[in-house]
Amino acid sequence: MKQITKKTIPMFAIAAMLMSCEKNVVEETQLDGNITILTQSKGAKLGYSKSSGVNILDEKGLKFKDLNKNGELDKYEDWRLSFEDRATDLATKLSVEQIAGLMLYSSHQAIPAAPVGFGAGTYEGKALSESGMPSSSLSDQQKKFLTEDNLRHVLITRVESPEVAAQWNNNAQAYVEGLGFGIPTNNSSDPRHSPIASTEYNAGAGGNISMWPEALGLAATFDPALVQRFGEVASIEYRALGLTTALSPQIDLGTEPRWNRLKGTFGEDSRLSADMARGYVDGFQSSAPEYEISGGWGFQSVNAMVKHWPSGGPEEGGRDGHFAYGKFAVYPGNNFEEHLVPFTEGAFKLSGKTKSASAVMPYYTISYGQDSKNGENVANAYSDYLITDLLRGKYGYEGVVCTDWGVTGNERDNVEVFAGKPWGMETASIAERHYWVIMAGADQFGGNNDIKPVLEAYQLGVKEHGEEWMRARFEKSAVRLLRNIFQTGLFENPYLEIAHTKETVGNPAFMEEGFQAQVKSVVMLKNKENVLPIAKNSKVYIPKKFIPSTTNWWGIKSEEKWVDAVNLEIAKKYFQVTENPEEADFSLVFVSNPESGTGYDPADRINGGNGYVPISLQYGTYTAATAREQSIAAGDPVLAPQVTNRSYKNKTITASNLKDLQNVMDTKKAMNGKPVITIISASNPMVFSEFEKEVQGIVLHFNVQDQAILDILSGAAEPSGLLPVQMPANMETVESQFEDVAHDMDCHVDEAGNTYNFAFGLNWKGVIKDSRTEKYQKK
């Protein structure tokens, strides 16, 4: 007889057994005219919608939802059973069409949908403003993919307010509860806790959501416990918004300093990244005991979809895989294995009871030359070596594998157009791409609302392997996908109390924690003659900041402009702000790290080149005289089959924000020997030799509120951040470093003799040496 332990049955079932001789007391609460909440003294809290037609079953005094409306208690409806048993039972009941719908992950959904542009939507055929419907209504497009396509995984982007998001969740859950087997929607989000620089933090005041450092800023704290606390807070806020999956953390190793997504990583060091990944996922996935269902999972849990397997960091030349010009990740240092460490030693090896991240997203890139089984160069989601042999086989991963968004779509007729990203599978049909993903071992298609190619892929599998085999393959994915919905308690109660959402999201305590984390992420690099901190009543001159013209991923171009560098009303609470540098005691020059584009320029192609240009980490004009003669990888069978070399050797580029450097120099001249402090908003490493000797102080951050910077500058807080990446001495060392190798650049040495290396930072006493540097700094 199998021994019954807490590990084999859910907490609700244990409670029911312990109180078996007591009567189950049930309290009924109405959230609105449609939603009923049943709270049981001996079991799960149940939420259901009257409009869905779901009834409540009574089993020896315990209450259960009859989601499929058959009048019987099915295993998947029984909250006393394990997540695995329930998911397996439901998977066997679903039709192929219903499983195919589970394998879809929606394109980006704003609440409410905009009338035009990316992700546009209609409401009864009209724009929302013309429909007379509330902002929390389901759009026509959402109703279609929930019904006709059986989609249940929804990616949420912008929301009008937390309350609108919560009401939309209730509307969506009530809508799908009445369909088929009553499978709830698993709503998700990309990271949404980024600070808004100009907003003011007031103790005791809340916001739309708590604001924390970007991932690279979290890494700069070198404090995994702080990152875990962020995950705990963020998961509580996510659940209050109706979000049960986080499309994060991004745990690619940031070993290529020019990559434009480096800012979303935990830096270049594998040990630090693994510790940060573990803390982040533990924080998101673990419910507090009073909210736990089983195994750490519960009503405060948020599934973490770690990305991007097996790392998207080593992009050749820093070009990004969202576009054909950046489709290749390369490994000139033969350092593939180290890029797996944040996954295998971090996200897959948790300290908490959930044990491992519940979902994984491969990146767009082709991990060039790494398939030792088939010798194929296909994007990671298409690689059975990377997914089945390595991820699932060698490392035993049994969670959901979801492609990045749009990998099965077609690329356009222009290499820099944001479209489908079928790298390595460009000439295959869309249905064939879906089939390859399934056969590689993945479960889900990011950014696809359309069930038809999944069903076509199923038929391709039937033709090759037979109906029984292919049905079993679909059910395997269905179990994984359903398990992630069961373990967050959505089958019992997917509904939100709007008042609770309003009280929870961005509450003052969470805002305070986020702000203090921002302060801890700020790195002081230079403090000549202890020029910092600045006395509170000092007069400071803050020149305006230049914003260059940029083109976003959808081809929309912005206008260049000069803006206030900070919120001056906040700055005036710290210092006397003057527009006249002659009367100022100090100057504060706010700049961004050099920005030189994507590494591809259509004009170069038009002029007879291959289109590839350098990505520079310096402001001034740079000529890539020491770049590779021959690129490691090349090729695009659709757009540019004749391009066999992506080298940009001897080509020249200048940063679009060169005026930031000029601003520093002009301010130095205007200050006539008085201190100039440079504050850098960084998303990548940069070359400091252009201006470091010209200024007395340098403070660097990875996107925080102005107020966090002002707290440091004024001495209200002491700097404690450390560099999570190296700062190169020059562009020659950037060109000679290997995209896949960490800590392999010559670093800038400033006039005080300090080296801007990984884990370097200053406080008021000088170079920081503490338990963090002892643990992580390279010896």
Side-chain angles (χ1 to χ4, degrees), residues 55-59 62-66 71-73 77:
N55 293 315
I56 297 299
L57 301 173
D58 188 293
E59 177 80 10
L62 300 176
K63 306 298 181 182
F64 303 85
K65 292 165 68 173
D66 185 13
E72 300 177 0
L73 179 60
E77 297 166 335

Side-chain angles (χ1 to χ4, degrees), residues 46 134 147 215 308 394 442 481 564 632 689 717 771-772:
L46 307 179
T147 52
H308 304 89
K394 181 176 181 179
L481 293 161
D564 287 335
I632 293 173
S689 57
S771 60
R772 299 173 301 159

Side-chain angles (χ1 to χ4, degrees), residues 544-771:
K544 289 184 179 294
K545 187 177 188 296
F546 176 70
I547 307 297
S549 173
T550 58
T551 302
N552 68 14
W553 282 358
W554 295 277
I556 300 173
K557 193 176 182 66
S558 67
E559 297 297 323
E560 66 179 42
K561 56 187 175 181
W562 288 89
V563 300
D564 287 335
V566 293
N567 185 329
L568 293 178
E569 294 306 309
I570 297 177
K572 290 174 182 176
K573 296 181 180 181
Y574 290 80
F575 309 114
Q576 297 182 57
V577 178
T578 176
E579 296 182 0
N580 182 1
E582 293 183 0
E583 65 181 30
D585 302 311
F586 297 85
S587 63
L588 305 177
V589 186
F590 289 78
V591 301
S592 298
N593 62 270
E595 300 166 10
S596 64
T598 63
Y600 186 86
D601 185 356
D604 180 79
R605 185 74 184 277
I606 293 170
N607 293 327
N610 62 5
Y612 295 89
V613 296
I615 298 175
S616 177
L617 302 182
Q618 67 183 41
Y619 291 110
T621 299
Y622 166 65
T623 299
T626 62
R628 291 187 181 111
E629 293 274 3
Q630 171 70 46
S631 64
I632 293 173
D636 191 310
V638 175
L639 299 182
Q642 74 279 15
V643 176
T644 58
N645 184 5
R646 298 189 178 200
S647 175
Y648 49 81
K649 185 177 176 66
N650 292 324
K651 293 182 182 179
T652 298
I653 197 164
T654 303
S656 61
N657 59 336
L658 174 62
K659 290 182 180 178
D660 273 358
L661 176 61
Q662 191 61 51
N663 205 8
V664 173
M665 298 307 185
D666 290 346
T667 302
K668 180 195 174 186
K669 182 177 180 180
M671 289 298 291
N672 195 25
K674 291 178 289 185
V676 177
I677 314 299
T678 303
I679 299 94
I680 304 166
S681 176
S683 56
N684 288 86
M686 60 184 288
V687 175
F688 279 87
S689 57
E690 294 178 293
F691 67 92
E692 176 264 315
K693 291 183 179 179
E694 310 299 325
V695 301
Q696 285 68 46
I698 300 175
V699 173
L700 181 142
H701 66 95
F702 304 98
N703 187 23
V704 299
Q705 290 171 264
D706 296 339
Q707 198 168 347
I709 299 296
L710 293 166
D711 268 10
I712 296 288
L713 295 173
S714 66
E718 184 171 18
S720 61
L722 304 169
L723 287 177
V725 288
Q726 293 182 312
M727 295 295 163
N730 48 51
M731 281 303 299
E732 287 69 34
T733 192
V734 174
E735 296 291 1
S736 65
Q737 59 88 35
F738 288 155
E739 285 92 338
D740 60 323
V741 176
H743 313 298
D744 64 341
M745 291 193 293
D746 295 328
C747 297
H748 177 75
V749 179
D750 70 12
E751 62 177 330
N754 291 320
T755 302
Y756 293 2
N757 206 341
F758 173 79
F760 169 74
L762 302 174
N763 57 22
W764 302 140
K765 296 178 182 178
V767 177
I768 296 172
K769 295 186 182 297
D770 57 17
S771 60

Side-chain angles (χ1 to χ4, degrees), residues 19 21 41 76 173 196-197 220 252 275 361 376 387 451 497 588 612 638 644 701 707 713 769 778:
M19 296 186 289
C21 46
S41 63
Y76 88 92
Q173 299 293 7
I196 301 171
D252 311 278
D275 290 347
M361 181 190 297
E376 294 173 338
I387 304 301
I451 197 175
E497 298 180 34
L588 305 177
Y612 295 89
V638 175
T644 58
H701 66 95
Q707 198 168 347
L713 295 173
K769 295 186 182 297
K778 294 300 174 182

Side-chain angles (χ1 to χ4, degrees), residues 189-400:
S189 175
D190 282 311
R192 56 192 317 120
H193 284 79
S194 297
I196 301 171
S198 61
T199 55
E200 183 174 11
Y201 167 70
N202 291 308
N208 285 330
I209 199 164
S210 61
M211 292 187 283
W212 296 70
E214 302 279 6
L216 202 54
L218 289 172
T221 69
F222 280 62
D223 186 351
L226 182 149
V227 174
Q228 180 166 339
R229 178 55 186 163
F230 161 70
E232 292 167 356
V233 169
S235 67
I236 293 169
E237 292 183 305
Y238 270 37
R239 291 305 300 258
L241 292 167
L243 302 169
T244 43
T245 291
L247 302 185
S248 58
Q250 183 190 335
I251 57 176
D252 311 278
L253 276 189
T255 53
E256 168 45 58
R258 294 162 291 191
W259 185 35
N260 66 12
R261 296 198 70 184
L262 190 147
K263 63 184 177 183
T265 76
F266 291 128
E268 66 182 298
D269 187 78
S270 59
R271 292 186 305 145
L272 178 64
S273 295
D275 290 347
M276 293 297 190
R278 187 183 309 107
Y280 190 110
V281 178
D282 267 333
F284 264 91
Q285 291 190 169
S286 301
S287 283
E290 62 268 32
Y291 295 97
E292 184 179 343
I293 300 172
S294 179
W297 292 102
F299 292 101
Q300 278 185 344
S301 296
V302 172
N303 295 292
M305 184 181 290
V306 296
K307 55 190 188 185
H308 304 89
W309 178 265
S311 183
E315 300 266 23
E316 185 166 19
R319 299 180 296 267
D320 182 60
H322 278 82
F323 299 87
Y325 54 68
K327 67 172 65 174
F328 296 107
V330 295
Y331 297 86
N334 297 315
N335 200 37
F336 177 84
E337 293 294 331
E338 187 172 4
H339 285 260
L340 305 184
V341 169
F343 297 89
T344 60
E345 300 303 313
F348 300 165
K349 196 175 287 186
L350 303 181
S351 300
K353 291 192 288 184
T354 65
K355 297 182 180 179
S356 177
S358 64
V360 173
M361 181 190 297
Y363 201 39
Y364 297 115
T365 47
I366 296 169
S367 295
Y368 192 75
Q370 299 308 304
D371 183 348
S372 59
K373 175 186 177 184
N374 307 305
E376 294 173 338
N377 282 311
V378 293
N380 299 321
Y382 294 111
S383 173
D384 71 324
Y385 169 72
L386 293 177
I387 304 301
T388 295
D389 291 50
L390 202 60
L391 178 61
R392 296 211 187 278
K394 181 176 181 179
Y395 295 109
Y397 186 74
E398 275 302 317
V400 167

